[in-house]
Amino acid sequence: MIFFLSLYGVESINCREDITKELLLGHIRYEYDPRFVRISSSYTSFSKRKLYLRKEAYQSFQKMYSSAKKQGIQLHILSGARNFDSQKRIWERKWYGNTLVQGLKLNQAYPRPMKRALIILRYSAMPGLSRHHWGTEIDLNSLENSYWKKGKGLKEYRWLTKNADRFGFCRPYNQKGRDAQNSRITGYEEERWHWSFRPLSQKMTKSFLKHIHYSDLTGFAGSSIAKKLRVIPHYAGSIASSCL
Ligand SMILES: [Zn+2]
């Protein structure tokens, strides 16, 4: 255990893996951080948008991409590392009704903060709470579960389910419900597109649950209800057992 100084004061986090509170909470500028690399546009659907990942996760994704391609499966990355500020933009656009959710302006449809937060939390994390902060997570091909349930999407989903593990990737947000395999009772809804590079993210999940407190979740609309909603165990901790 090594003590070091962070923006949040002296923390006793095991930094053998270089896990700091800044990293866990997404207070990172990926373009200047040597642990992160820019994803080549050949692996994304965007020619101009800059996407980043942790080096190890990217290298493993490249291997998975090639293996998939040989078997006629085309993978592309829609989202990689997202820092606190970009998650705050996503969250607050939904919070203030600038992005419609289920066709609704949530600030009008749900004036009460608790209910409004619960609706956003179905698919979006509070800033500071997103696994995307870590650079270990990727969203692939389509952000609609329905895409993955038939035709091309189903073929891709089956390939990933069978093969992603060989490259270190697991799916943290599996099916929810008591009867589901590896059941998750609380947390985000199922996301078939979201894959996590377990060799890094497993340690980060553990560190997050151990070292991040509600007092760390500040600086965004609705942050004061994070504790009441118990977002740390119920969302950050509600992960498929294959990723733990
Ligand atoms: Zn995601």
Side-chain angles (χ1 to χ4, degrees):
M1 198 71 86
I2 297 169
F3 289 86
F4 64 98
L5 193 67
S6 78
L7 275 178
Y8 295 86
V10 179
E11 296 295 340
S12 60
I13 295 181
N14 184 343
C15 68
R16 196 161 44 93
E17 298 297 333
D18 207 12
I19 300 175
T20 62
K21 273 196 174 185
E22 285 84 356
L23 179 61
L24 292 172
L25 294 166
H27 293 294
I28 299 280
R29 293 187 69 181
Y30 303 119
E31 63 272 43
Y32 301 118
D33 191 312
R35 294 169 295 182
F36 292 80
V37 281
R38 187 174 167 186
I39 303 170
S40 158
S41 58
S42 57
Y43 296 111
T44 74
S45 335
F46 318 106
S47 56
K48 291 203 176 122
R49 219 163 102 190
K50 293 179 181 173
L51 297 181
Y52 294 85
L53 273 180
R54 282 288 293 258
K55 271 180 195 164
E56 303 90 325
Y58 185 44
Q59 283 162 1
S60 218
F61 173 78
Q62 287 172 303
K63 288 180 192 147
M64 182 163 80
Y65 175 95
S66 301
S67 174
K69 200 169 178 184
K70 277 184 203 146
Q71 292 171 55
I73 300 292
Q74 189 68 45
L75 302 176
H76 58 269
I77 299 178
L78 299 174
S79 188
R82 288 201 299 264
N83 68 12
F84 181 93
D85 291 336
S86 77
Q87 193 67 24
K88 179 177 153 119
R89 276 193 293 279
I90 293 170
W91 175 267
E92 291 192 342
R93 284 187 63 79
K94 292 184 176 181
W95 185 267
Y96 291 119
N98 303 115
T99 300
L100 299 185
V101 180
Q102 296 161 355
L104 299 169
K105 282 180 182 278
L106 294 187
N107 57 329
Q108 293 169 4
Y110 299 101
R112 292 182 161 191
M114 289 285 279
K115 181 70 182 164
R116 200 189 318 176
L118 284 170
I119 300 281
I120 305 175
L121 282 166
R122 293 185 73 221
Y123 291 104
S124 297
M126 283 182 170
L129 216 75
S130 174
R131 294 171 68 90
H132 280 280
H133 294 334
W134 310 340
T136 55
E137 314 293 299
I138 44 176
D139 291 336
L140 298 175
N141 292 21
S142 169
L143 303 180
E144 298 287 340
N145 279 315
S146 58
Y147 167 86
W148 298 95
K149 289 180 180 170
K150 58 181 191 305
K152 190 158 88 70
L154 180 60
K155 213 175 136 199
E156 292 160 1
Y157 174 69
R158 286 190 177 138
W159 189 92
L160 285 162
T161 303
K162 193 173 163 207
N163 294 286
D165 179 59
R166 284 195 287 129
F167 302 94
F169 287 93
C170 61
R171 192 162 68 92
Y173 308 127
N174 62 344
Q175 201 182 343
K176 253 170 85 174
R178 286 183 195 283
D179 300 327
Q181 209 186 2
N182 295 326
S183 67
R184 290 187 306 122
I185 308 304
T186 59
Y188 308 104
E189 297 301 311
E190 182 177 25
E191 294 189 358
R192 292 190 171 205
W193 54 86
H194 182 123
W195 294 81
S196 177
F197 185 60
R198 189 169 176 264
L200 291 178
S201 65
Q202 185 187 36
K203 298 180 184 88
M204 294 171 83
T205 305
K206 280 193 187 130
S207 287
F208 191 97
L209 297 174
K210 192 171 174 193
H211 296 287
I212 299 301
H213 308 289
Y214 291 106
S215 55
D216 296 313
L217 300 175
T218 56
F220 59 93
S223 59
S224 60
I225 53 170
K227 189 174 183 180
K228 208 166 174 189
L229 290 170
R230 302 198 62 213
V231 292
I232 294 177
H234 286 177
Y235 288 86
S238 181
I239 301 301
S241 57
S242 58
C243 285
L244 288 172

